[in-house]
Amino acid sequence: MRIKKFEAVTLQEALSKIKKDFGPEAVILHTKKFKRGGIFGLFGRETTEVTAGIDINIDRPRQQQQQQQQQPAQYEKPSPQIPSLSAQFGGKIQPAAARQQPAQPRLEPMGHVYNRVEDISMKNDTLARELSEGKVSLSGTLRPSRDNSGSSMQGPALKSGIGRIQKMLIDNGVEESLVYRTLQNINSQLTDAQINNKVFIEQYLYDYISNMVQVSGPIKTTPGTSKVVAFIGPTGVGKTTTIAKLAAKYALIEGKSVVMITADTYRIAADLQLKKYGEIMGIPVEIVLTPDDFKKVINKHLDKDLIFFDTAGRSPRNRQHLSELKEFLEVHTPIETHIVISAVTKYFDALSIINNFGMVPIHRMLFTKLDETKNYGMLLNLSVGSGGIPISFLTVGQNVPDDLEIADPKAISRLVIKGDFEAWIRQRG
């Protein structure tokens, strides 16, 4: 383990020294600014001090590992006493209370804040009652209900073809409760002939699933107003590349004025990637160390249409890091926040991520790495299970700016049902 302090006039100079001494795998442990020389603190030269280390793991110090072994994981499956499925699918999404902060000039006001997370996979009382009344089960068999005397009552018979639809949805990763709900609807609303008509049932499922998927559309700007958009999420989900794609889309294709800001200085090489993209596209890139730095940079660029903020990847279970993120996002209001989630993430893990990041407002979900999976049920599961957080964009590869799609419920529905990613990509051109 090596830890060393580096001093320089600017942050960029300090980072250059660290890269030269420790290499690109160095980790920043602490930064501060102070004045060197002068008389009684006056007339001194402002100096930046950065403490960096190599061959260390700041995410799991030994003491933290011991605490995690002693304490249960923060995320637990919700108990069965959760809102009914009818409330989940048909109820209105309640916006979180807006923070009481003075409005800043030239910043576009945000709409609803979605931060209510529900678990759609638990078998709640409503679902259990519906199943006991003769609705479908995961085995595809009829489950009889009972009358008040306890006698078995035969419910409506399952129509032919239900089992095939059930298998398709489960194989594509749709959560069990959503499978139940979909099959109940099909069994009660459609005839045998309709269910077994491949063209008809496919279109019916497209429409049914697309109606459950909430999307936000593209990032909206207002002339003369600067909009700050932050991207949060765990490490390794592709936030930086995604921001580069969005910057290219809005700056080079739509002609908007854009600046990219990064606070991802935990890994020394992290800022280089965004700066390289900025140089290629002619888009300014700023590095910030503290919330106060971030506020100053925002004020500096209020003439821009869009201010994209690349936050450092955070472990969803590290409360200290999440508190630091919260401080950054509170320096200005409003800030539109997109949580970035890899499409290969398991549903319960993704739900846990949203729960833990929920200490800050989450306005949008953005899914990356659709090209790295063949199973897209999680997009539907999380769209419903998150309580209705709308999906903004999908990324489908590494190419900048081409591999970026505005989320479309019909496209997501098609991926959930057919999983034909390659065919979809060819069709989109």
Side-chain angles (χ1 to χ4, degrees), residues 145-312:
S145 61
R146 297 181 179 276
D147 60 18
N148 294 333
S149 65
S151 302
S152 177
M153 296 175 61
Q154 195 72 2
L158 293 179
K159 297 183 174 74
S160 64
I162 288 290
R164 172 176 52 82
I165 299 169
Q166 169 195 311
K167 182 178 185 303
M168 179 268 293
L169 293 174
I170 293 175
D171 288 347
N172 288 338
V174 179
E175 273 295 307
E176 292 181 5
S177 59
L178 288 181
V179 175
Y180 282 128
R181 197 73 173 182
T182 303
L183 297 185
Q184 289 168 7
N185 181 278
I186 291 173
N187 197 57
S188 62
Q189 299 294 324
L190 303 183
T191 66
D192 287 275
Q194 289 173 325
I195 293 172
N196 288 282
N197 183 315
K198 184 177 179 180
V199 175
F200 179 90
I201 193 61
E202 200 169 82
Q203 186 60 52
Y204 183 89
L205 285 170
Y206 284 156
D207 294 339
Y208 186 83
I209 290 177
S210 65
N211 286 335
M212 286 194 284
V213 176
Q214 301 293 321
V215 299
S216 65
I219 297 171
K220 300 174 180 64
T221 60
T222 302
T225 301
S226 185
K227 185 167 194 174
V228 184
V229 185
F231 299 85
I232 66 173
T235 57
V237 295
K239 290 189 296 296
T240 301
T241 304
T242 299
I243 289 174
K245 293 173 183 175
L246 287 166
K249 167 183 168 59
Y250 284 97
L252 305 183
I253 299 175
E254 299 192 13
K256 305 292 184 183
S257 56
V258 176
V259 62
M260 297 184 288
I261 303 173
T262 180
D264 191 358
T265 56
Y266 279 89
R267 291 181 61 85
I268 294 300
D271 63 306
L272 292 179
Q273 184 182 12
L274 199 62
K275 291 181 75 173
K276 176 61 73 174
Y277 283 128
E279 290 173 6
I280 293 172
M281 297 184 290
I283 297 173
V285 176
E286 300 269 10
I287 301 173
V288 297
L289 296 177
T290 66
D292 188 55
D293 291 341
F294 182 41
K295 184 175 183 178
K296 292 177 181 177
V297 171
I298 289 177
N299 290 332
K300 175 183 174 182
H301 291 283
L302 284 178
D303 60 323
K304 302 295 191 298
D305 295 316
L306 285 166
I307 299 174
F308 288 141
F309 181 38
D310 182 18
T311 64

Side-chain angles (χ1 to χ4, degrees), residues 105-146:
R106 293 183 51 77
L107 286 174
E108 182 174 326
M110 269 302 304
H112 296 300
V113 176
Y114 299 89
N115 65 358
R116 181 172 61 90
V117 177
E118 296 176 353
D119 181 5
I120 61 174
S121 70
M122 301 303 293
K123 309 302 184 294
N124 57 34
D125 294 338
T126 300
L127 178 59
R129 184 178 68 254
E130 290 174 343
L131 293 176
S132 69
E133 292 172 351
K135 303 296 178 70
V136 295
S137 69
L138 271 183
S139 63
T141 59
L142 183 68
R143 182 173 296 180
S145 61
R146 297 181 179 276

Side-chain angles (χ1 to χ4, degrees), residues 17-61:
K17 290 182 179 181
I18 296 171
K19 293 172 189 175
K20 183 178 179 180
D21 198 347
F22 281 175
E25 295 302 316
V27 177
I28 290 179
L29 301 176
H30 181 68
T31 61
K32 71 176 183 179
K33 294 181 179 180
F34 62 94
K35 289 193 175 182
R36 170 77 67 188
I39 303 174
F40 301 111
L42 300 176
F43 312 110
R45 184 182 66 179
E46 188 171 87
T47 301
T48 299
E49 179 187 273
V50 181
T51 304
I54 189 69
D55 295 329
I56 61 174
N57 188 340
I58 63 173
D59 286 332
R60 284 185 173 273

